Amino acid sequence: MIMSMTFAMERETASELIEEDRLMNDNDKCFVVTLDGPAASGKSSVAQQVAEALNLPFVSSGLLYRAATLLVLKHRLLPEDEAAVLALLGKHRVELIARTTGSNRILVDGQDVSAQLHTDDVDANVSVVSRHDAVRDWVYKRLREIKGSFVIEGRDMGTVVFPEARHKFYLTASAEVRAKRRVGERAAGLRQITEALKRRDQLDAKQLAPASDALKIDTTELTAEQVVAKVLKQIRTAVN
Ligand code: DC
């Protein structure tokens, strides 16, 4: 199993905010922002914009579970077969490329598969694949190898993977609003998307508990820009 994270970011350009945070806290700890929440809660676009505003790399942890699922589907394995899934992951090189602007790219054996990761098929199987402890360990190990400061989104970033992060957020929204945001991005219609999201919420429930020290933001009535503004304001307040 080979996997690497590539950051196209120059550390010297990290914002004054980070420097302030470092000075205020009198330490050299990295500046890690976690954004967790259920599917289509807006965390990916919010995290991306927050990362851009702070000039930090953005990491989408769900893409690693999606890449594992794509491999399982391509090789026609049973998503439930944990041992077979782990053996398969061991045979492929999966790279996550994170940048300060734009979305992440995923390369499998050198080939960019990013455009294949958000299909109804991957959506329908990713919860089963990501439930396996072996798969979670495969992802956790890679995420914990990330050095420096970054903004990361997922389900359990603030609880399990980066419990020490100082800036934690948890985004929610009603299933209906989340489904509406997905229409157009998926082949299915609104009703099917709503049902699929609710099913995924149930299957992902174990990973979905918010960190007790995360700021919870209900995004049902908010635009992505408003959520980004709230997140940045909270970070500034916490730093000052
Ligand atoms: O955020 P997303 O919809 O791309 O995530 C896809 C799936 O990956 C999600 O249904 C559950 C799993 N996942 C997870 O278990 N833990 C994470 N931190 C991120 C995603």
Side-chain angles (χ1 to χ4, degrees):
M1 171 173 51
I2 310 163
M3 154 107 203
S4 69
M5 304 274 174
T6 310
F7 291 142
M9 182 209 163
E10 289 174 36
R11 298 273 169 240
E12 306 75 64
T13 61
S15 75
E16 282 170 21
L17 194 60
I18 296 162
E19 181 57 14
E20 249 173 70
D21 194 40
R22 197 181 67 76
L23 293 173
M24 288 295 295
N25 289 285
D26 193 26
N27 64 33
D28 288 327
K29 273 194 196 143
C30 295
F31 191 97
V32 175
V33 180
T34 62
L35 282 116
D36 290 308
S41 54
K43 57 192 191 306
S44 187
S45 50
V46 168
Q48 207 169 310
Q49 290 177 55
V50 168
E52 210 165 316
L54 297 174
N55 199 16
L56 290 179
F58 150 71
V59 182
S60 172
S61 61
L63 291 183
L64 293 173
Y65 294 105
R66 289 178 178 274
T69 306
L70 184 68
L71 275 169
V72 166
L73 294 174
K74 281 196 169 167
H75 289 266
R76 299 183 187 282
L77 293 187
L78 271 181
E80 291 80 4
D81 189 343
E82 182 168 6
V85 173
L86 189 66
L88 178 71
L89 293 178
K91 290 186 194 136
H92 295 273
R93 179 184 166 91
V94 179
E95 293 172 88
L96 185 149
I97 302 179
R99 294 202 177 85
T100 324
T101 50
S103 50
N104 294 174
R105 314 301 298 168
I106 292 277
L107 307 186
V108 174
D109 301 324
Q111 196 195 345
D112 191 336
V113 298
S114 313
Q116 301 168 48
L117 298 176
H118 290 93
T119 61
D120 291 331
D121 223 10
V122 172
D123 281 355
N125 289 283
V126 67
S127 295
V128 176
V129 172
S130 63
R131 212 165 44 199
H132 299 310
D133 287 341
V135 174
R136 301 203 75 77
D137 288 344
W138 179 82
V139 171
Y140 291 167
K141 185 167 181 291
R142 266 110 214 124
L143 295 176
R144 289 181 180 132
E145 280 167 2
I146 305 174
K147 298 282 178 283
S149 300
F150 50 90
V151 179
I152 190 160
E153 59 94 353
R155 302 288 189 289
D156 51 359
M157 297 302 101
T159 46
V160 177
V161 189
F162 300 106
E164 73 290 357
R166 261 202 307 280
H167 307 284
K168 298 184 188 177
F169 298 88
Y170 190 87
L171 307 189
T172 57
S174 71
E176 287 67 26
V177 163
R178 289 187 284 132
K180 275 188 193 147
R181 291 175 183 163
R182 276 279 153 93
V183 173
E185 292 174 15
R186 297 292 190 275
L190 181 61
R191 225 177 85 194
Q192 267 177 300
I193 293 177
T194 312
E195 293 308 310
L197 278 180
K198 286 183 177 167
R199 209 167 34 247
R200 204 134 69 88
D201 285 352
Q202 276 171 3
L203 291 170
D204 296 341
K206 202 173 147 202
Q207 283 88 247
L208 269 176
S212 56
D213 52 349
L215 176 73
K216 294 171 199 68
I217 304 176
D218 185 343
T219 73
T220 306
E221 308 277 341
L222 301 175
T223 63
E225 288 67 32
Q226 288 171 318
V227 182
V228 172
K230 267 185 190 287
V231 169
L232 291 174
K233 189 172 168 206
Q234 169 66 21
I235 292 175
R236 292 205 168 94
T237 307
V239 169
N240 297 319

